[in-house]
Amino acid sequence: VVDPNDSTFLLARNTGGVFHTLIGWTPAPAIQPGPARNRLGVRAQGPDIVLLVNGQEVGRVRDEALREGALAFGVGSLSDGPAEGYFGNLVVTSVD
């Protein structure tokens, strides 16, 4: 989850409808505020997950809970208000 209003992010795993926080809300100066464009990256290799924003590493965690999973993107509001977002140039590749 990226909150451009205060340039923070968090990483959670959803297992059976239960969210497990892997990295709590963390400030990341690499996150451009407001409607500015942010380029997000996730490198997942085995249990190691690296998060990137605009080419800068902002978080790293090891999570041994799952051997496989799914990728999802969405837009929402943390205060249940209106939200708008755009996705472009989605690339999914092997880390090998």
XYZ file of all heavy atoms in Angstrom:
705
model
N 0.859 -1.167 0.000
C 0.000 0.000 0.000
C 0.900 1.223 0.000
O 1.832 1.301 0.791
C -0.916 0.022 1.247
C -1.750 1.283 1.274
C -1.794 -1.203 1.313
N 0.622 2.177 -0.904
C 1.374 3.428 -0.971
C 0.402 4.570 -0.710
O -0.656 4.650 -1.333
C 2.040 3.603 -2.359
C 2.708 4.962 -2.468
C 3.039 2.487 -2.613
N 0.755 5.440 0.230
C -0.045 6.631 0.516
C 0.752 7.856 0.086
O 1.643 8.306 0.804
C -0.384 6.712 2.003
C -1.316 7.866 2.327
O -1.537 8.735 1.452
O -1.823 7.918 3.461
N 0.442 8.411 -1.112
C 1.201 9.555 -1.592
C 0.893 10.845 -0.815
O 1.608 11.826 -0.938
C 0.779 9.687 -3.062
C -0.568 9.068 -3.102
C -0.566 7.978 -2.064
N -0.153 10.849 -0.004
C -0.487 12.049 0.761
C 0.561 12.347 1.829
O 0.797 13.510 2.159
C -1.862 11.918 1.404
C -2.949 11.853 0.352
O -2.975 12.651 -0.567
N -3.821 10.870 0.461
N 1.194 11.298 2.379
C 2.247 11.532 3.371
C 3.526 10.758 3.043
O 4.385 10.574 3.899
C 1.765 11.233 4.784
C 1.351 9.781 4.992
O 1.451 8.982 4.046
O 0.941 9.453 6.115
N 3.654 10.292 1.808
C 4.849 9.588 1.321
C 5.242 8.421 2.224
O 6.384 8.282 2.648
C 6.019 10.563 1.159
O 5.726 11.524 0.171
N 4.253 7.554 2.497
C 4.498 6.359 3.299
C 4.003 5.122 2.553
O 3.242 5.226 1.593
C 3.788 6.427 4.667
O 2.383 6.566 4.456
C 4.303 7.582 5.510
N 4.440 3.944 3.019
C 3.980 2.688 2.434
C 3.891 1.649 3.531
O 4.452 1.800 4.621
C 4.937 2.209 1.334
C 6.225 1.654 1.867
C 6.372 0.298 2.101
C 7.285 2.486 2.166
C 7.551 -0.211 2.614
C 8.466 1.991 2.677
C 8.598 0.629 2.905
N 3.182 0.570 3.239
C 3.206 -0.613 4.080
C 3.102 -1.828 3.183
O 2.636 -1.745 2.053
C 2.100 -0.602 5.148
C 0.669 -0.994 4.789
C 0.474 -2.498 4.856
C -0.293 -0.369 5.781
N 3.566 -2.959 3.698
C 3.486 -4.219 2.963
C 2.761 -5.221 3.842
O 3.118 -5.401 5.009
C 4.884 -4.747 2.616
C 4.909 -6.107 1.912
C 4.268 -6.012 0.528
C 6.337 -6.616 1.804
N 1.729 -5.856 3.270
C 0.958 -6.851 4.015
C 0.710 -8.053 3.125
O 0.671 -7.946 1.902
C -0.364 -6.265 4.486
N 0.538 -9.217 3.760
C 0.166 -10.443 3.065
C -1.276 -10.750 3.439
O -1.648 -10.694 4.602
C 1.089 -11.585 3.491
C 0.670 -12.934 2.942
C 1.623 -14.067 3.315
N 2.429 -13.911 4.506
C 2.021 -14.237 5.740
N 0.812 -14.699 5.958
N 2.843 -14.100 6.765
N -2.074 -11.088 2.442
C -3.467 -11.472 2.671
C -3.549 -12.981 2.528
O -3.385 -13.518 1.446
C -4.373 -10.778 1.667
C -5.831 -11.112 1.858
O -6.181 -12.048 2.572
N -6.697 -10.352 1.223
N -3.807 -13.660 3.637
C -3.925 -15.111 3.634
C -5.295 -15.484 4.168
O -5.589 -15.239 5.340
C -2.835 -15.752 4.525
O -1.564 -15.236 4.134
C -2.827 -17.254 4.394
N -6.148 -16.011 3.301
C -7.492 -16.406 3.720
C -8.317 -15.252 4.242
O -9.096 -15.423 5.170
N -8.131 -14.065 3.664
C -8.894 -12.897 4.096
C -8.337 -12.215 5.333
O -8.894 -11.239 5.814
N -7.208 -12.700 5.843
C -6.572 -12.098 7.022
C -5.293 -11.392 6.567
O -4.455 -11.993 5.898
C -6.239 -13.172 8.081
C -5.517 -12.553 9.261
C -7.500 -13.895 8.525
N -5.173 -10.112 6.932
C -3.988 -9.345 6.561
C -2.918 -9.475 7.642
O -3.202 -9.311 8.826
C -4.342 -7.868 6.341
C -5.005 -7.630 5.030
C -6.384 -7.750 4.916
C -4.273 -7.305 3.909
C -7.014 -7.547 3.707
C -4.890 -7.103 2.690
C -6.260 -7.224 2.594
N -1.707 -9.786 7.196
C -0.554 -9.899 8.079
C 0.426 -8.800 7.662
O 0.912 -8.818 6.531
C 0.114 -11.266 7.936
C -0.820 -12.411 8.151
N -1.056 -12.947 9.393
C -1.589 -13.105 7.286
C -1.930 -13.925 9.291
N -2.272 -14.048 8.006
N 0.699 -7.868 8.532
C 1.620 -6.786 8.215
C 3.048 -7.317 8.201
O 3.514 -7.892 9.179
C 1.487 -5.643 9.231
O 0.150 -5.149 9.195
C 2.449 -4.510 8.915
N 3.733 -7.115 7.083
C 5.134 -7.528 6.953
C 6.067 -6.348 7.193
O 7.132 -6.495 7.774
C 5.384 -8.136 5.577
C 4.521 -9.348 5.230
C 4.797 -9.813 3.804
C 4.724 -10.469 6.220
N 5.675 -5.177 6.707
C 6.377 -3.918 6.978
C 5.293 -2.908 7.315
O 4.411 -2.645 6.488
C 7.201 -3.424 5.763
C 8.269 -4.447 5.366
C 7.852 -2.082 6.084
C 9.042 -4.076 4.101
N 5.329 -2.358 8.525
C 4.336 -1.358 8.930
C 4.524 -0.045 8.184
O 5.465 0.105 7.391
N 3.631 0.900 8.430
C 3.704 2.201 7.748
C 5.099 2.795 7.923
O 5.581 2.966 9.042
C 2.648 3.153 8.291
C 1.284 2.831 7.792
C 0.254 2.295 8.501
C 0.802 3.012 6.460
N -0.834 2.115 7.690
C -0.537 2.558 6.428
C 1.364 3.493 5.287
C -1.313 2.583 5.270
C 0.580 3.522 4.135
C -0.731 3.071 4.139
N 5.737 3.084 6.788
C 7.117 3.542 6.768
C 7.234 4.760 5.860
O 6.774 4.717 4.714
C 8.036 2.420 6.229
O 7.862 1.263 7.046
C 9.487 2.841 6.218
N 7.848 5.840 6.331
C 8.080 6.990 5.452
C 9.115 6.635 4.387
O 10.078 5.910 4.667
C 8.631 8.075 6.379
C 8.617 7.528 7.756
C 8.306 6.071 7.691
N 8.900 7.120 3.187
C 9.838 6.886 2.085
C 9.909 8.149 1.237
O 9.002 8.418 0.448
C 9.403 5.695 1.246
N 10.963 8.933 1.397
C 11.088 10.170 0.618
C 11.044 9.947 -0.895
O 10.758 10.875 -1.642
C 12.445 10.731 1.043
C 12.703 10.132 2.392
C 12.053 8.769 2.352
N 11.288 8.715 -1.353
C 11.240 8.417 -2.789
C 9.819 8.510 -3.341
O 9.627 8.669 -4.548
C 11.805 7.028 -3.061
N 8.798 8.419 -2.483
C 7.397 8.494 -2.932
C 7.055 9.942 -3.234
O 7.127 10.808 -2.363
C 6.434 7.927 -1.866
C 6.753 6.457 -1.585
C 4.980 8.099 -2.312
C 5.983 5.872 -0.406
N 6.694 10.198 -4.490
C 6.299 11.542 -4.905
C 4.911 11.845 -4.347
O 4.013 11.013 -4.434
C 6.299 11.657 -6.432
C 7.655 11.438 -7.050
C 8.649 12.486 -6.596
O 8.394 13.684 -6.662
N 9.790 12.035 -6.093
N 4.695 13.031 -3.790
C 3.420 13.339 -3.140
C 2.293 13.650 -4.123
O 2.531 13.970 -5.290
C 3.758 14.567 -2.287
C 4.873 15.233 -3.019
C 5.666 14.108 -3.650
N 1.070 13.556 -3.589
C -0.128 13.941 -4.338
C -0.287 13.184 -5.630
O -0.069 11.983 -5.690
N -0.663 13.899 -6.710
C -0.951 13.230 -7.984
C 0.291 12.937 -8.833
O 0.166 12.470 -9.960
C -1.862 14.219 -8.694
C -1.391 15.558 -8.202
C -0.999 15.319 -6.756
N 1.488 13.188 -8.301
C 2.705 12.925 -9.077
C 2.811 11.436 -9.397
O 2.301 10.584 -8.675
C 3.937 13.389 -8.300
N 3.485 11.120 -10.473
C 3.661 9.731 -10.898
C 4.704 9.050 -10.031
O 5.752 9.607 -9.735
C 4.115 9.697 -12.355
C 4.319 8.289 -12.885
C 4.716 8.315 -14.313
N 3.619 8.924 -15.063
C 3.341 8.642 -16.319
N 4.078 7.783 -16.975
N 2.341 9.225 -16.926
N 4.386 7.818 -9.601
C 5.323 6.985 -8.854
C 5.496 5.668 -9.587
O 4.519 5.042 -9.979
C 4.810 6.719 -7.429
C 5.000 7.901 -6.522
O 6.111 8.231 -6.172
N 3.910 8.565 -6.162
N 6.726 5.264 -9.770
C 7.036 3.986 -10.402
C 7.323 2.985 -9.287
O 8.263 3.159 -8.510
C 8.252 4.143 -11.309
C 8.561 2.902 -12.070
C 9.645 3.164 -13.099
N 9.869 1.944 -13.836
C 11.062 1.515 -14.182
N 12.130 2.209 -13.872
N 11.183 0.401 -14.844
N 6.480 1.963 -9.186
C 6.581 0.977 -8.110
C 7.188 -0.314 -8.630
O 6.892 -0.746 -9.742
C 5.195 0.689 -7.529
C 4.369 1.899 -7.101
C 3.010 1.463 -6.589
C 5.111 2.713 -6.064
N 8.012 -0.938 -7.822
C 8.613 -2.207 -8.193
C 8.613 -3.161 -7.011
O 8.761 -2.743 -5.871
N 8.413 -4.430 -7.307
C 8.486 -5.486 -6.302
C 9.357 -6.593 -6.871
O 9.098 -7.083 -7.970
C 7.088 -6.059 -5.965
C 7.213 -7.193 -4.959
C 6.155 -4.980 -5.470
N 10.388 -6.960 -6.124
C 11.209 -8.108 -6.496
C 10.967 -9.179 -5.452
O 11.268 -8.985 -4.283
C 12.689 -7.740 -6.513
C 13.073 -6.850 -7.643
C 14.587 -6.727 -7.735
N 14.914 -5.717 -8.702
C 15.763 -4.725 -8.493
N 16.394 -4.629 -7.346
N 15.991 -3.853 -9.430
N 10.399 -10.280 -5.890
C 10.127 -11.393 -4.985
C 10.848 -12.619 -5.508
O 10.585 -13.075 -6.614
C 8.629 -11.648 -4.899
N 11.763 -13.114 -4.711
C 12.504 -14.307 -5.087
C 12.537 -15.214 -3.860
O 13.177 -14.886 -2.857
C 13.912 -13.971 -5.549
C 14.650 -15.178 -6.077
C 15.925 -14.781 -6.802
O 16.429 -13.676 -6.651
N 16.455 -15.683 -7.593
N 11.802 -16.327 -3.965
C 11.654 -17.183 -2.798
C 10.996 -16.378 -1.690
O 10.043 -15.648 -1.929
N 11.513 -16.442 -0.480
C 10.900 -15.716 0.627
C 11.345 -14.252 0.723
O 10.859 -13.507 1.568
C 11.376 -16.495 1.856
C 12.702 -17.034 1.445
C 12.563 -17.353 -0.032
N 12.268 -13.821 -0.142
C 12.805 -12.464 -0.065
C 12.008 -11.505 -0.938
O 11.806 -11.750 -2.136
C 14.272 -12.451 -0.477
C 15.124 -13.305 0.443
O 14.933 -13.201 1.672
O 15.951 -14.086 -0.057
N 11.573 -10.401 -0.344
C 10.785 -9.392 -1.044
C 11.489 -8.054 -0.898
O 11.843 -7.638 0.210
C 9.361 -9.294 -0.458
C 8.660 -10.656 -0.528
C 8.550 -8.221 -1.180
C 7.376 -10.725 0.276
N 11.704 -7.380 -2.020
C 12.318 -6.059 -2.041
C 11.329 -5.104 -2.699
O 10.774 -5.407 -3.760
C 13.655 -6.063 -2.822
C 14.243 -4.665 -2.890
C 14.640 -7.037 -2.196
N 11.093 -3.958 -2.072
C 10.177 -2.953 -2.597
C 10.969 -1.756 -3.101
O 11.898 -1.288 -2.433
C 9.208 -2.493 -1.500
C 8.421 -3.595 -0.809
C 7.590 -3.009 0.322
C 7.551 -4.337 -1.798
N 10.579 -1.263 -4.294
C 11.246 -0.116 -4.884
C 10.219 0.947 -5.252
O 9.107 0.618 -5.685
C 12.012 -0.537 -6.140
C 13.043 -1.627 -5.900
C 12.670 -2.863 -6.680
C 14.403 -1.138 -6.250
N 10.598 2.202 -5.088
C 9.779 3.317 -5.532
C 10.693 4.260 -6.296
O 11.730 4.704 -5.774
C 9.110 4.065 -4.352
C 8.335 5.268 -4.859
C 8.185 3.137 -3.574
N 10.330 4.524 -7.533
C 11.099 5.422 -8.391
C 12.582 5.045 -8.432
O 13.460 5.901 -8.366
C 10.884 6.875 -7.955
C 9.432 7.271 -8.111
O 8.790 6.936 -9.101
N 8.888 7.967 -7.121
N 12.834 3.732 -8.505
C 14.188 3.222 -8.641
C 14.969 3.107 -7.348
O 16.106 2.648 -7.355
N 14.385 3.497 -6.217
C 15.080 3.428 -4.942
C 14.479 2.329 -4.058
O 13.255 2.240 -3.935
C 14.976 4.757 -4.206
C 15.661 5.902 -4.909
C 15.528 7.183 -4.119
O 15.491 7.171 -2.901
N 15.440 8.299 -4.823
N 15.334 1.537 -3.436
C 14.841 0.525 -2.509
C 14.295 1.225 -1.271
O 14.969 2.037 -0.650
C 15.956 -0.433 -2.111
C 15.482 -1.531 -1.189
C 16.549 -2.532 -0.821
O 17.376 -2.882 -1.696
O 16.553 -2.963 0.344
N 13.049 0.888 -0.915
C 12.419 1.490 0.268
C 12.125 0.463 1.352
O 11.863 0.828 2.495
C 11.128 2.268 -0.100
C 11.448 3.449 -1.012
C 10.091 1.356 -0.728
N 12.135 -0.818 1.013
C 11.847 -1.836 2.012
C 12.327 -3.198 1.576
O 12.430 -3.487 0.383
N 12.609 -4.027 2.579
C 13.090 -5.388 2.325
C 12.605 -6.256 3.473
O 12.690 -5.858 4.634
C 14.609 -5.388 2.249
C 15.249 -6.710 1.993
C 16.768 -6.558 1.977
N 17.217 -5.826 0.808
C 17.717 -6.389 -0.290
N 17.830 -7.702 -0.362
N 18.107 -5.655 -1.310
N 12.082 -7.446 3.147
C 11.592 -8.353 4.175
C 11.734 -9.789 3.692
O 11.791 -10.039 2.480
C 10.120 -8.032 4.551
C 9.171 -8.372 3.420
C 9.690 -8.709 5.833
N 11.798 -10.699 4.632
C 11.819 -12.129 4.329
C 10.555 -12.728 4.928
O 10.308 -12.579 6.120
C 13.068 -12.773 4.920
C 13.274 -14.207 4.542
C 14.650 -14.679 5.035
N 14.895 -16.051 4.652
C 15.461 -16.437 3.518
N 15.855 -15.538 2.645
N 15.645 -17.712 3.258
N 9.743 -13.381 4.086
C 8.491 -13.977 4.540
C 8.427 -15.408 4.030
O 8.262 -15.633 2.840
C 7.293 -13.163 4.027
C 5.965 -13.706 4.514
O 5.940 -14.436 5.530
O 4.941 -13.416 3.875
N 8.530 -16.360 4.919
C 8.577 -17.781 4.559
C 7.195 -18.428 4.518
O 7.086 -19.639 4.329
C 9.453 -18.534 5.575
C 10.818 -17.925 5.759
C 11.920 -18.710 5.114
O 11.637 -19.741 4.497
O 13.070 -18.270 5.207
N 6.120 -17.653 4.696
C 4.781 -18.225 4.867
C 4.219 -18.892 3.611
O 3.508 -19.886 3.716
C 3.812 -17.147 5.337
N 4.503 -18.359 2.431
C 3.893 -18.883 1.208
C 4.963 -19.286 0.202
O 5.993 -18.643 0.097
C 2.980 -17.832 0.571
C 1.847 -17.309 1.435
C 1.125 -16.188 0.712
C 0.885 -18.423 1.781
N 4.667 -20.308 -0.568
C 5.577 -20.729 -1.630
C 5.166 -20.149 -2.984
O 5.954 -20.111 -3.917
C 5.627 -22.247 -1.705
C 6.182 -22.860 -0.426
C 6.378 -24.351 -0.513
N 7.294 -24.795 -1.543
C 8.628 -24.748 -1.465
N 9.185 -24.254 -0.395
N 9.372 -25.200 -2.447
N 3.918 -19.722 -3.103
C 3.428 -19.095 -4.332
C 2.259 -18.206 -3.959
O 1.747 -18.260 -2.850
C 3.004 -20.135 -5.364
C 1.906 -21.060 -4.892
C 1.590 -22.122 -5.929
O 2.499 -22.652 -6.580
O 0.400 -22.419 -6.075
N 1.844 -17.355 -4.894
C 0.745 -16.443 -4.607
C 0.280 -15.743 -5.863
O 0.561 -16.181 -6.976
N -0.408 -14.648 -5.690
C -0.967 -13.886 -6.804
C -0.542 -12.428 -6.687
O -0.171 -11.963 -5.612
C -2.492 -13.988 -6.795
N -0.621 -11.740 -7.790
C -0.285 -10.329 -7.866
C -1.567 -9.546 -8.088
O -2.382 -9.932 -8.925
C 0.687 -10.120 -9.037
C 1.109 -8.707 -9.362
C 1.975 -8.165 -8.243
C 1.871 -8.704 -10.676
N -1.772 -8.469 -7.347
C -2.983 -7.668 -7.502
C -2.642 -6.189 -7.398
O -1.753 -5.798 -6.641
C -4.003 -8.042 -6.434
N -3.352 -5.373 -8.166
C -3.222 -3.926 -8.105
C -4.595 -3.339 -7.876
O -5.595 -3.863 -8.375
C -2.671 -3.361 -9.423
C -1.235 -3.685 -9.655
C -0.876 -4.804 -10.372
C -0.239 -2.865 -9.149
C 0.452 -5.113 -10.595
C 1.090 -3.178 -9.357
C 1.435 -4.301 -10.089
N -4.665 -2.254 -7.143
C -5.949 -1.606 -6.921
C -5.742 -0.176 -6.471
O -4.631 0.253 -6.170
N -6.817 0.560 -6.425
C -6.805 1.943 -5.976
C -7.915 2.092 -4.957
O -9.015 1.581 -5.145
C -7.050 2.918 -7.153
C -7.159 4.344 -6.660
C -5.950 2.775 -8.183
N -7.618 2.759 -3.865
C -8.635 2.977 -2.846
C -8.263 4.170 -1.996
O -7.228 4.793 -2.177
N -9.134 4.483 -1.075
C -8.915 5.599 -0.166
C -8.859 5.062 1.250
O -9.712 4.274 1.659
C -10.046 6.613 -0.298
O -9.960 7.583 0.719
N -7.857 5.481 2.007
C -7.733 5.036 3.391
C -8.835 5.612 4.270
O -9.092 5.114 5.351
C -6.357 5.409 3.936
C -5.184 4.748 3.221
C -3.866 5.282 3.763
C -5.246 3.251 3.347
N -9.502 6.666 3.786
C -10.583 7.279 4.559
C -11.944 7.007 3.928
O -12.913 7.692 4.224
C -10.355 8.787 4.682
O -10.374 9.381 3.391
N -12.031 6.015 3.046
C -13.268 5.645 2.348
C -13.862 6.767 1.511
O -15.046 6.757 1.216
C -14.325 5.123 3.348
C -13.909 3.805 3.959
O -13.210 3.040 3.268
O -14.259 3.545 5.111
N -13.029 7.714 1.112
C -13.461 8.768 0.203
C -13.139 8.376 -1.219
O -12.703 7.257 -1.491
N -13.343 9.294 -2.157
C -13.045 8.984 -3.556
C -11.542 8.788 -3.770
O -10.725 9.378 -3.071
C -13.556 10.207 -4.320
C -13.623 11.297 -3.308
C -13.846 10.641 -1.978
N -11.201 7.959 -4.732
C -9.809 7.696 -5.071
C -9.690 7.571 -6.580
O -10.614 7.126 -7.252
C -9.326 6.428 -4.392
N -8.556 7.989 -7.088
C -8.318 7.908 -8.525
C -6.875 7.493 -8.730
O -5.970 7.985 -8.049
C -8.565 9.273 -9.158
C -8.456 9.276 -10.653
C -8.859 10.630 -11.241
O -9.775 11.263 -10.705
O -8.229 11.016 -12.220
N -6.648 6.570 -9.625
C -5.304 6.123 -9.915
C -5.216 5.591 -11.330
O -6.227 5.221 -11.927
N -4.034 5.573 -11.861
C -3.794 5.099 -13.210
C -2.621 4.129 -13.176
O -1.647 4.357 -12.468
C -3.456 6.255 -14.150
C -4.542 7.289 -14.224
C -4.526 8.387 -13.378
C -5.586 7.164 -15.122
C -5.531 9.338 -13.426
C -6.595 8.108 -15.182
C -6.564 9.193 -14.325
O -7.556 10.126 -14.369
N -2.717 3.060 -13.941
C -1.628 2.099 -14.056
C -1.209 2.050 -15.513
O -2.040 1.988 -16.401
C -2.078 0.700 -13.606
C -2.487 0.643 -12.156
C -3.815 0.721 -11.790
C -1.535 0.527 -11.164
C -4.202 0.671 -10.462
C -1.898 0.479 -9.836
C -3.228 0.546 -9.477
N 0.079 2.049 -15.751
C 0.589 1.959 -17.101
C 1.918 1.237 -17.121
O 2.638 1.217 -16.124
N 2.237 0.645 -18.231
C 3.528 -0.010 -18.427
C 3.800 -1.110 -17.397
O 4.902 -1.216 -16.871
C 4.659 1.025 -18.402
C 4.484 2.061 -19.472
O 4.148 1.745 -20.602
N 4.694 3.311 -19.120
N 2.808 -1.933 -17.126
C 2.965 -3.046 -16.196
C 3.852 -4.104 -16.826
O 3.615 -4.543 -17.944
C 1.610 -3.653 -15.833
C 1.652 -4.925 -14.984
C 2.243 -4.622 -13.618
C 0.271 -5.518 -14.853
N 4.901 -4.483 -16.109
C 5.830 -5.508 -16.578
C 6.000 -6.521 -15.465
O 6.309 -6.158 -14.329
C 7.207 -4.904 -16.948
C 8.164 -5.996 -17.374
C 7.051 -3.849 -18.028
N 5.814 -7.780 -15.775
C 6.066 -8.872 -14.836
C 7.112 -9.763 -15.495
O 6.890 -10.275 -16.600
C 4.777 -9.673 -14.530
C 5.082 -10.825 -13.580
C 3.693 -8.767 -13.958
N 8.244 -9.926 -14.825
C 9.336 -10.724 -15.387
C 9.893 -11.654 -14.314
O 9.653 -11.477 -13.134
C 10.472 -9.843 -15.900
O 11.013 -9.098 -14.808
C 10.018 -8.902 -16.987
N 10.691 -12.586 -14.749
C 11.409 -13.478 -13.843
C 12.614 -12.734 -13.285
O 13.231 -11.914 -13.976
C 11.869 -14.719 -14.601
O 12.727 -15.478 -13.792
N 12.957 -13.001 -12.032
C 14.149 -12.373 -11.453
C 15.413 -13.147 -11.781
O 16.505 -12.734 -11.445
C 14.025 -12.205 -9.919
C 12.962 -11.192 -9.597
C 13.759 -13.521 -9.248
N 15.277 -14.286 -12.444
C 16.444 -15.093 -12.835
C 17.150 -14.480 -14.024
O 16.627 -13.884 -14.874
C 16.018 -16.526 -13.162
C 15.486 -17.238 -11.919
O 15.942 -16.895 -10.809
O 14.630 -18.120 -12.078
